[in-house]
């Protein structure tokens, strides 16, 4: 480990040894996650896949994406980002990466199905009154 004094502040720079999480990089790029699409509108019963992309951090960071839904009665999401619309309403999906150091939210709107046919009885016919 190399120790430097910079402007009166002690700064350490790892040498990439076994205990160095970033292979000697003093300040890795900021950890971030994005999704595509950024929002979903689905009909009940439909499904879609959200692609999550992580960037920054160290090369050995855990980049496993963890998905959660705010409302499983409206939309569910699996570990692969597959969203299933199960009920009308709205939900917020959250994808996190880097052990929850980077998160992104995605609004989901699920439209309720409209009736495909309307059952109605014919109006009752009454005889006309004669004048």
């Amino acid at each position: 480990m190399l120790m430097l004094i910079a402007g009166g502040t002690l700064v350490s720079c790892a040498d990439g040894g076994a205990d160095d999480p970033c292979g000697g990089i003093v300040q890795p790029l900021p950890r971030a996650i994005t999704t595509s699409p950024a929002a979903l509108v689905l009909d009940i019963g439909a499904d879609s896949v959200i692609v999550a992309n992580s960037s920054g951090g160290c090369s050995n960071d855990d980049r496993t994406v963890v998905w959660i839904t705010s409302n499983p009665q409206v939309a569910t999401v699996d570990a692969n980002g597959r969203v299933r619309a199960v009920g009308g309403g709205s939900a917020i999906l959250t994808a996190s990466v880097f052990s929850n150091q980077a998160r992104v939210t995605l609004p989901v709107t699920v439209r309720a199905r409209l009736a495909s046919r309307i059952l109605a009885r014919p109006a009752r016919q009454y005889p006309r009154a004669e004048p």
Side-chain angles (χ1 to χ4, degrees):
M1 170 117 15
L2 175 63
M3 304 296 255
L4 302 170
I5 304 275
T9 303
L10 181 65
V11 177
S12 65
C13 178
D15 61 4
D19 63 341
D20 178 14
C22 270
I25 299 172
V26 176
Q27 292 186 357
L29 294 173
R31 292 166 172 89
I33 184 170
T34 58
T35 60
S36 179
L40 283 175
V41 177
L42 300 170
D43 293 321
I44 292 176
D47 63 350
S48 183
V49 175
I50 303 167
V51 176
N53 294 301
S54 61
S55 61
C58 302
S59 61
N60 61 348
D61 279 340
D62 180 7
R63 294 176 185 268
T64 303
V65 178
V66 177
W67 292 95
I68 59 171
T69 179
S70 67
N71 193 344
Q73 289 76 33
V74 172
T76 61
V77 61
D78 69 13
N80 298 312
R82 180 172 298 281
V83 179
R84 179 116 177 116
V86 294
S90 61
I92 301 293
L93 303 181
T94 302
S96 63
V97 72
F98 301 117
S99 301
N100 206 29
Q101 293 181 32
R103 289 178 300 285
V104 65
T105 58
L106 172 103
V108 177
T109 301
V110 177
R111 298 180 290 213
R113 276 194 194 135
L114 297 176
S116 58
R117 60 185 179 148
I118 298 173
L119 300 176
R121 294 183 184 158
R124 190 168 195 185
Q125 298 292 323
Y126 294 98
R128 290 184 134 192
E130 294 292 323

